[in-house]
Amino acid sequence: MAKKVKDTIDTGAKRAKSAADKAAKRAKDATDKAAKRAKDATDRAAKAAKDATDRAASGAKNAADRASGIGENIRKSGEKLAKQGNAVSMKVLEHAETNTREAFAAMRKAAGATNPAEVAKIQGDYLREQGARSMAHAREIGEMIMQFGRDAMGMGKKG
């Protein structure tokens, strides 16, 4: 009877060991499957994060490139505006020189006049010519300033 009990115990132990092995294998398989799913999910999340980072970096680079281009345009516009400002200043000086020469020419004529009527005629001619000259100068400077403004606002012709 002791042998029978021993055989029963051995059989029970074998069955228990087999059941435990099967349970351990199923647990290992389930753990491996869960680990694979977790790894796949982590890989997808890492790829999505990398893609998002790449898109953000690309967007930042594009923005930096645009800002750099804008800065260059502003620099070029500043140089052009400075040149135009100088041109306006030079034109005003040219007009002042012309007006001064014409005034001295009229004074020389008046100094050589032989009677007051001739002086009055010289003065009248000078004033008439000076008025026309002033209008032409104002128009020319006004056009330059308007072009200066159009260029400053970006509406001037590209050249």
Side-chain angles (χ1 to χ4, degrees), residues 62-137:
N62 289 340
D65 290 347
R66 284 192 302 268
S68 175
I70 290 169
E72 182 63 20
N73 288 343
I74 289 172
R75 184 190 62 75
K76 287 179 182 176
S77 293
E79 289 174 358
K80 184 174 183 178
L81 294 176
K83 286 178 185 176
Q84 288 174 327
N86 288 342
V88 169
S89 296
M90 292 304 292
K91 190 54 73 174
V92 168
L93 286 174
E94 287 175 23
H95 291 170
E97 288 174 1
T98 300
N99 291 339
T100 302
R101 270 194 309 275
E102 294 300 322
F104 276 104
M107 285 191 279
R108 280 190 197 97
K109 284 182 187 175
T114 55
N115 61 50
E118 191 178 349
V119 171
K121 181 183 180 319
I122 292 169
Q123 285 179 338
D125 291 345
Y126 169 77
L127 290 174
R128 190 175 37 262
E129 290 168 6
Q130 181 59 30
R133 229 182 352 267
S134 292
M135 290 298 291
H137 291 175

Side-chain angles (χ1 to χ4, degrees), residues 7-23:
D7 288 342
T8 304
I9 291 174
D10 286 344
T11 302
K14 284 181 187 177
R15 284 185 190 157
K17 182 179 180 299
S18 174
D21 288 346
K22 285 180 186 176

